Amino acid sequence: MKRISNREFRIASAGMALSVMTALAMPLVSFAIPARAAAASGNGMATNGSSQFCAGLTAKASATTNKITALSTKVTQAWAAQDQKLAADQQNVDQKVTTDRSQADATRATDFSKLSAKATTTAEQQAVQTYETAVQTAVNTRRAAFDAARQTFRDGVKSAIAARRSTVTSQITSFNAAVASAFSTAEAACTSGSASSSSVHQTLVTSLKSARETFQGDRKDDATVGSQVQQLAATRDAAFKQADATFQAAMTAARNALKAAFGSSSSNV
């Protein structure tokens, strides 16, 4: 009988690489920080005096907040697009696996028919039935193992991405709050006259810079999702290889038993 096709193993491995590359990109959405917001808030003071700085502060605070909100919206939209791409990639892999399995089933049925035609004695007929059962069991076992490993990988990727996105959302919220607080403090100081305009401006610059640097520093941890996906992929790959090794061992044993039953005619099996 022809060797059972191992194409599904190659399909699964290729699908893994595609899914990994997609997942690696997911949390790494660029989030531009309005680095010049503080400098912009001081332009009026430099040209038209301290009163202009304070008078324009509320408008500048609103503009900066709107920029952050718009950028946050872009991040959310990018995540949605990436989710759609990952789902499409996974569906493509599943369709290929389904097609390959159907083709393998058809080929296996043809091979079984040919074997049955060669069985001329009761012993040979029983041996063929035993062989067919062993092969089908090996095929089902490997498929179940592949499906389980693939699903475990996907669940792990989904969980890692969700956790990171939740963290990023909190970081964006904290950054927005820090920026709002910096402007609010500056506005209050302008209203109360408790500090000079230049002092208020410098404090605002320092606060915005600190908020920006904190956010940017936290975002560097996005790379951790990539390492998690790589670990999940390695685990899945190992499961694939183990399932394939178990399958090949079962197939070898089944073929040897069949050849033994056919005796001198086993070269034609």
Side-chain angles (χ1 to χ4, degrees), residues 48-105:
N48 297 320
S50 60
S51 60
Q52 183 63 30
F53 165 71
C54 287
L57 201 53
T58 298
K60 295 182 187 303
S62 178
T64 300
T65 299
N66 289 340
K67 287 182 180 179
I68 296 175
T69 299
L71 290 168
S72 179
T73 299
K74 288 183 178 180
V75 170
T76 301
Q77 292 172 341
W79 283 345
Q82 290 162 348
D83 285 344
Q84 291 178 353
K85 185 179 186 305
L86 180 59
D89 290 342
Q90 292 178 347
Q91 184 179 26
N92 184 49
V93 170
D94 291 343
Q95 289 175 342
K96 288 181 178 179
V97 168
T98 298
T99 298
D100 183 70
R101 288 179 176 179
S102 295
Q103 294 173 346
D105 288 344

Side-chain angles (χ1 to χ4, degrees), residues 31 33 56 63-64 66 68-69 100 104 118 130 132 139 146 149 175 181 184 188 200 204 228 243 253-254:
F31 190 88
I33 307 301
T64 300
N66 289 340
I68 296 175
T69 299
D100 183 70
K118 292 179 180 180
T130 299
E132 291 179 1
V139 168
F146 269 42
F175 174 70
S181 176
S184 178
V200 174
L204 177 61
Q228 290 176 42

Side-chain angles (χ1 to χ4, degrees), residues 151-204:
Q151 189 59 49
T152 297
F153 171 79
R154 291 176 179 180
D155 289 344
V157 169
K158 182 178 180 180
S159 178
I161 291 172
R164 185 56 194 153
R165 287 181 179 180
S166 176
T167 298
V168 170
T169 299
S170 295
Q171 290 167 353
I172 293 174
T173 299
S174 296
F175 174 70
N176 198 13
V179 170
S181 176
F183 275 105
S184 178
T185 298
E187 290 172 358
C190 280
T191 299
S192 66
S194 60
S196 66
S197 179
S198 60
S199 176
V200 174
H201 171 251
Q202 186 56 50
T203 298
L204 177 61

Side-chain angles (χ1 to χ4, degrees), residues 30 130 230 233:
S30 175
T130 299
Q230 290 175 346

